[in-house]
């Protein structure tokens, strides 16, 4: 029991400290919601129109679009850890410059710099988390990404309404500094070390991550890693590799699809415009700022819950539950705003305004328990060592384009056609996503990277596979990536099931 605690603690510590930069990146979006009223105050020296604010929020995606591919290449050349450490100074400097200026142009340039850092985060963090975690805990460790993302929003929501603009921005700047200091103490990915031929250091890092686990088990896992790395690196890698085989193309399609659904279902727009949304809903009994804080708490709580259930329930059940819940939640919000705008028979529709925050809270809970974290988990699971960096880069670009469209069109469509149109579109995306993901999304719970790749070659493999107690059963030999010789139940070598 003590041995198991050590094993999991080490992985969790590395994962949590790594994802501090995710919280720092999330704060770049969360920063705008509490200060929106301040920015729109004409007496404020930083006064911005609603159109300028929407561009200031969305322009971060310009930087986010430019950095993923270079970040993936740099992660393979210089290492996951070094590449991630760069995001600390980038974000800290951007906040310090924003703190010292009132120029709209300078603020927008700094937002682009933040976008460059965010592209690195979305590309490299999933790689690092997937490569330091054991098979049985990979879903939980990669799920830290979503938990940290929402924690970053929560910090901004809780602090912003109660302090001055300058103090708020200064506090935000401390998060990337904290990340840089703490993450310096963590190891490089053992997969990357093997890619560079440093087997001795890879063994040391793996031994540290697995705590008190027996040396024989650690060596077996290392041998499996070496086999995968050597197989993946036989030929020089290129961007074509990620679409070279049917398995790679299907994996990329799945990651693009779930990422697009996650963004276009409204998450990024709702989190950026949350305070304004609750103001529009005319809720009487609680302030928009307080509702925004509650929303942040719900998102963080949902991400925390996902960490404990993703490796028990599996990816597919969480995806389906998430899509269904998000569909009905967005449908309710859209119906409320439609009735408010068109049904004049009802004298005081605001008496039902509680529907909007209630539905938004439900949406946040469903999205962060399922589709949000699973999209990041898939990015770290579905690709080989050779293609994982490029795939993560392309996934980040896909998320960036979707985020820009969602953030920018939210205000344009809402002003032109009504907010109900926006939220009905979000609900439609959830429904379409449910159907498509039911057909395409694989179940990866409890499987090694090799088994997942094998399943991707067969569209129906995930339907015939059965996972019981972390032992996958199908027609192939099952090899535990932590201990190929002995599984957790003490079965010799590999298990075979008809």
């Amino acid at each position: 029991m003590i041995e198991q605690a050590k094993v999991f603690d080490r992985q969790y510590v590395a994962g949590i400290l790594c994802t501090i930069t995710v919280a720092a990146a999330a704060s770049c979006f969360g920063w705008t919601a509490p200060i929106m009223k301040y920015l729109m105050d004409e007496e404020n020296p930083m006064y911005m129109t609603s159109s300028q604010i929407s561009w200031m929020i969305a322009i971060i995606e310009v930087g986010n679009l430019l950095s993923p591919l270079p970040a993936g290449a740099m992660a393979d050349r210089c290492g996951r850890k070094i590449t991630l450490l760069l995001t600390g100074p980038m974000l800290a400097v951007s906040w310090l410059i924003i703190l010292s200026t009132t120029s709209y142009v300078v603020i927008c340039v700094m937002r682009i710099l933040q976008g460059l850092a965010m592209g690195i985060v979305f590309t490299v963090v999933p790689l690092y988390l997937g490569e330091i975690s054991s098979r049985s805990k990979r879903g939980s460790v990669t799920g830290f990404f979503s938990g940290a993302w929402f924690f970053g929003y929560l910090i901004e929501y809780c602090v912003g309404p109660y302090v001055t603009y300058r103090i708020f921005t200064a506090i935000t700047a401390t998060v990337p500094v904290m990340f840089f200091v703490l993450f310096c103490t963590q190891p490089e990915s053992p997969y990357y070390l093997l890619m560079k031929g440093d087997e001795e250091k890879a063994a040391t890092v793996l031994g540290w991550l697995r705590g008190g686990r027996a040396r024989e088990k650690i060596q077996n896992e290392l041998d499996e890693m070496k086999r995968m790395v050597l197989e993946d690196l036989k030929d020089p890698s290129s961007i074509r590799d990620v679409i070279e085989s049917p398995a790679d193309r299907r994996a990329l399609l799945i990651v693009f699809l779930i990422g697009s659904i996650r963004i276009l279902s409204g998450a990024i727009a709702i989190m950026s415009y949350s305070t304004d949304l609750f103001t529009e809903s005319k809720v009487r009994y609680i302030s928009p700022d307080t509702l925004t804080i509650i929303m942040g708490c719900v998102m963080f709580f949902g991400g925390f819950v996902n960490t404990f259930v993703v490796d028990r329930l599996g990816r597919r059940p969480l995806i389906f539950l998430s899509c269904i819940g998000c569909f009905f939640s967005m449908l309710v919000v859209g119906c409320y705003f439609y009735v408010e705008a068109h049904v004049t028979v009802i004298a005081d529709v605001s008496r039902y305004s509680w529907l909007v925050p209630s539905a938004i809270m439900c949406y946040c809970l469903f999205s962060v328990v399922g589709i949000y974290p699973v999209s990041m988990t898939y990015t770290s699971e579905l690709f080989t060592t050779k293609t994982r960096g490029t795939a993560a880069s392309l996934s980040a670009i896909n998320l960036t384009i979707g985020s820009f469209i969602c953030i920018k069109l939210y205000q344009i469509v809402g002003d032109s056609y009504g907010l109900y149109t926006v939220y009905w579109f979000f609900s439609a995306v959830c429904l379409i996503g449910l159907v498509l993901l039911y057909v395409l999304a694989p179940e990866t719970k409890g499987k090694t990277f090799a088994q997942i790749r094998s399943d991707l070659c067969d569209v129906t493999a995930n339907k015939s596979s059965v996972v019981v107690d972390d032992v996958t059963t199908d027609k192939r030999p099952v090899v535990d990536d932590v201990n190929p010789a002995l599984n957790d139940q003490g079965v010799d070598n590999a298990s075979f099931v008809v």
Side-chain angles (χ1 to χ4, degrees), residues 188-336:
E188 179 56 87
S189 157
Y191 275 90
Y192 170 77
L193 295 172
L194 288 173
M195 288 170 61
K196 296 302 176 182
D198 195 344
E199 182 179 339
E200 182 178 350
K201 192 169 183 180
T204 301
V205 167
L206 189 62
W208 185 87
L209 288 169
R210 300 298 179 259
R213 181 160 290 188
R215 182 173 298 179
E216 180 185 356
K217 295 182 178 181
I218 295 172
Q219 185 60 48
N220 287 333
E221 182 179 4
L222 184 67
D223 291 341
E224 178 68 11
M225 286 183 177
K226 286 167 55 180
R227 184 190 65 78
M228 290 183 62
V229 169
L230 290 174
E231 186 175 315
D232 292 339
L233 299 182
K234 283 180 182 177
D235 302 313
S237 61
S238 71
I239 195 170
R240 289 185 179 180
D241 294 331
V242 81
I243 56 172
E244 188 174 28
S245 70
D248 285 314
R249 290 194 292 271
R250 182 166 182 249
L252 194 62
L253 172 63
I254 292 167
V255 168
F256 274 15
L257 177 63
I258 194 170
S260 298
I261 293 166
R262 161 189 150 186
I263 294 297
L264 296 179
S265 68
I268 194 72
I270 291 171
M271 290 186 288
S272 298
Y273 288 96
S274 55
T275 303
D276 188 58
L277 168 64
F278 294 133
T279 301
E280 288 288 333
S281 68
K282 301 180 178 63
V283 179
R284 298 174 175 177
Y285 52 87
I286 192 169
S287 72
D289 285 332
T290 303
L291 284 171
T292 300
I293 293 172
I294 295 173
M295 185 186 78
C297 292
V298 170
M299 291 189 299
F300 178 66
F301 173 74
F304 185 73
V305 169
N306 174 269
T307 301
F308 293 96
V309 301
V310 66
D311 283 317
R312 290 188 174 93
L313 300 182
R315 286 42 159 172
R316 282 173 63 88
L318 290 177
I319 289 174
F320 304 149
L321 175 66
S322 181
C323 286
I324 293 170
C326 290
F327 165 72
F328 284 110
S329 300
M330 293 293 93
L331 186 65
V332 168
V333 175
C335 288
Y336 172 83

Side-chain angles (χ1 to χ4, degrees), residues 384-403:
T384 64
T385 307
K386 183 179 179 181
T387 61
R388 204 171 292 142
T390 302
S393 301
L394 294 175
S395 174
I397 291 173
N398 175 59
L399 294 174
T400 296
I401 294 172
S403 297

Side-chain angles (χ1 to χ4, degrees), residues 20-52:
I20 295 176
T21 193
V22 178
S27 67
C28 299
F29 280 118
W31 175 77
T32 60
I35 65 170
M36 202 164 290
K37 289 181 181 179
Y38 172 78
L39 295 177
M40 296 180 72
D41 182 358
E42 294 185 6
E43 297 181 0
N44 165 29
M46 294 180 59
Y47 169 71
M48 301 178 193
T49 64
S50 60
S51 177
Q52 286 177 319

